[in-house]
Amino acid sequence: MRRTRSARPGRPGAKSDTKTDTAAKQPGSAQANDGGGKASSGGQRCHTSGLTAAFATGEDATPDPDAGGSTTTSIVLTNKGGSTCKIGGFPGVDLKSENGQSWSLRRSSAKHTSITLAPGDSTDFKINLALAKSDEAHPWTPASVTVTPPNETTSLTLKWPWGPLVDQTGATHPATFVNPIG
């Protein structure tokens, strides 16, 4: 699990109030438990209104278009509030196209925990991606990504900064999926 105290501006395309850079992230002493996405005693869960979201930047955070199947990216969630909160589990992630189509990403089978974020601290989650090749017959091109933090009903929206994906919207085990926070 990763947690950091400070963040630097990130990649263009993220909302101006949601920019973060993974290069600024340092492994922290995030407190973990098997809370399954629910805040345990001693802290309030993180609410959407107290979080910012941004695509992670840096060499290892940018999807590799030559990966030959699957690659990853990360979305960083930062506690912009004035008090400590807990977050854990799977965020809801929906890709939205220019014409209004939506693709709700499936969850991985990875086990999740919860972590504590002090004001200014960040954590992230990975999204596995199947980037489409230039000759893909039916690519799916996102325009934005909507992220709903665990146990929340409101979302944060980011502009999609990369190209099309392999269209696996109806697949049982798609190569594009979301992993848990932390």
Side-chain angles (χ1 to χ4, degrees):
M1 280 177 235
R2 292 184 242 162
R3 185 180 80 160
T4 184
R5 278 234 171 265
S6 63
R8 294 185 299 190
R11 161 176 295 233
K15 286 187 174 180
S16 61
D17 65 347
T18 61
K19 294 182 179 181
T20 306
D21 184 4
T22 53
K25 295 172 69 176
Q26 299 295 321
S29 57
Q31 300 169 354
N33 66 33
D34 290 326
K38 296 180 182 173
S40 60
S41 62
Q44 174 179 309
R45 71 178 162 87
C46 297
H47 296 282
T48 306
S49 62
L51 297 170
T52 59
F55 278 101
T57 59
E59 234 176 85
D60 62 337
T62 303
D64 180 3
D66 300 319
S70 186
T71 186
T72 63
T73 190
S74 294
I75 293 180
V76 178
L77 298 173
T78 302
N79 179 359
K80 70 177 184 177
S83 59
T84 298
C85 64
K86 293 189 181 205
I87 191 167
F90 286 88
V93 177
D94 295 300
L95 304 178
K96 308 272 185 186
S97 69
E98 286 290 336
N99 65 4
Q101 292 180 318
S102 183
W103 177 2
S104 294
L105 298 188
R106 292 187 181 264
R107 296 175 176 181
S108 73
S109 60
K111 185 174 177 168
H112 54 85
T113 61
S114 66
I115 63 169
T116 301
L117 295 177
D121 282 357
S122 297
T123 190
D124 67 349
F125 63 91
K126 286 189 180 195
I127 299 175
N128 285 57
L129 303 170
L131 295 177
K133 300 290 184 192
S134 60
D135 62 349
E136 184 73 30
H138 301 285
W140 205 94
T141 306
S144 64
V145 178
T146 302
V147 176
T148 307
N151 304 308
E152 290 291 298
T153 57
T154 55
S155 303
L156 302 164
T157 300
L158 303 170
K159 183 178 177 186
W160 181 254
W162 299 288
L165 300 170
V166 174
D167 186 352
Q168 296 182 322
T169 54
T172 305
H173 299 288
T176 298
F177 58 89
V178 64
N179 291 286
I181 290 174

